[in-house]
Amino acid sequence: MQVHEFGDSQGVPVIFFMGTPQTGESGHEFSVLASKVGIRLICPTRPWYYEFDSAPSFDKCSEKTSAYLQSNGIDKCHVIGGSGGGPFAMHFSTAYSEVVHSCYLLASMGTPSIFVEKVKSPPTLELLELLRNDNYESTIDYLTSLGLSEDLAHGAWSDFKVLLGSWESIEFQKSPIVYIHHGEEDENAPIESIRDLAGKLPSSQIRISSQASHMGLAEDEELSEFKLIFNEIAAYERTAC
């Protein structure tokens, strides 16, 4: 699994599971902010984005992320999951709860049944229809027509195979505290689905912000939500020390 790091190499380790369809390279956008705040931002690329023969699963992503942390001597971290990366962040946080201090979900997908019922984004609705028919070639053709490269299109197909499949391997009761940053009118991430997810967690806080929707994040050049999250993590670490 390819992993990219940004920010302060001696800072607080924060794993950032990117949204769909993004690779870990996308984390470069937050490099300056992470350096300023003292965050070591670790951005895994899910294996199936570059390895087309890699069978997608929550377990594989979490196991390879854990192996990377161990190989780098990291025994504690915080976790962020954005959009389609949210459920992968949840899985890692519950599978390796002894490692994770806290988990942040940012404009994250919630439980799949309600997500499918409530999502309003036209491209996502079109994609869901193709996925229902389980037609790989048509899905890849559609995604590349939107401007995605073939590897990103394959990554998106594989992500949704996991995201819309069974979540039985996510042991919600083992979760650390989860801070949910979300917009009320997010067509790509229905708030109803994330509220349903929050109801399964032993400890969570929902923080509503117009800048925490997909559109809000895209338009916010100040990276307001990331500043809030990074500073909160840094403050936690100072208090803990």
Side-chain angles (χ1 to χ4, degrees):
M1 180 170 70
Q2 293 189 12
V3 178
H4 290 79
E5 292 203 21
F6 304 96
D8 182 353
S9 61
Q10 301 303 311
V12 181
V14 177
I15 314 300
F16 186 9
F17 291 93
M18 311 299 294
T20 301
Q22 289 180 306
T23 65
E25 293 172 291
S26 299
H28 71 83
E29 177 183 359
F30 313 104
S31 185
V32 172
L33 175 61
S35 295
K36 182 178 180 180
V37 179
I39 296 295
R40 179 180 179 180
L41 194 63
I42 302 168
C43 304
T45 298
R46 292 181 279 282
W48 42 89
Y49 273 76
Y50 293 133
E51 303 167 17
F52 282 21
D53 59 349
S54 177
S57 70
F58 284 125
D59 288 331
K60 178 172 289 187
C61 182
S62 289
E63 287 166 4
K64 288 186 175 291
T65 301
S66 174
Y68 182 85
L69 296 184
Q70 291 181 35
S71 68
N72 285 273
I74 300 171
D75 58 5
K76 293 291 182 182
C77 67
H78 299 262
V79 173
I80 302 172
S83 189
F88 290 98
M90 281 301 315
H91 186 277
F92 182 80
S93 296
T94 58
Y96 297 94
S97 57
E98 72 282 1
V99 174
V100 179
H101 285 303
S102 64
C103 177
Y104 289 80
L105 300 182
L106 182 56
S108 173
M109 174 183 171
T111 50
S113 60
I114 298 179
F115 172 84
V116 169
E117 177 187 347
K118 297 292 186 178
V119 69
K120 296 178 181 178
S121 166
T124 303
L125 291 170
E126 179 69 23
L127 176 58
L128 290 175
E129 185 60 31
L130 291 166
L131 288 164
R132 285 190 196 98
N133 296 328
D134 203 29
N135 190 320
Y136 176 80
E137 291 185 0
S138 294
T139 304
I140 299 303
D141 286 346
Y142 170 69
L143 291 171
T144 54
S145 76
L146 298 179
L148 296 184
S149 61
E150 187 176 353
D151 56 348
L152 292 183
H154 177 81
W157 160 274
S158 302
D159 274 358
F160 271 98
K161 282 295 187 180
V162 179
L163 295 172
L164 300 178
S166 172
W167 284 26
E168 289 184 1
S169 62
I170 302 180
E171 300 182 67
F172 293 108
Q173 291 308 308
K174 291 185 178 180
S175 171
I177 188 167
V178 178
Y179 301 101
I180 298 170
H181 292 242
H182 214 86
E184 286 189 296
E185 302 295 334
D186 193 331
E187 291 189 349
N188 289 284
I191 195 168
E192 295 91 344
S193 68
I194 201 68
R195 288 192 188 279
D196 188 60
L197 173 60
K200 302 178 185 299
L201 301 172
S203 181
S204 66
Q205 292 183 19
I206 297 181
R207 298 161 168 183
I208 301 299
S209 168
S210 61
Q211 294 170 322
S213 67
H214 279 73
M215 184 64 72
L217 290 166
E219 295 178 346
D220 181 16
E221 297 181 358
E222 299 300 316
L223 304 177
S224 303
E225 292 299 314
F226 286 94
K227 283 182 182 177
L228 192 159
I229 292 170
F230 287 179
N231 278 306
E232 188 167 275
I233 289 172
Y236 170 90
E237 290 295 326
R238 288 194 296 270
T239 302
C241 293

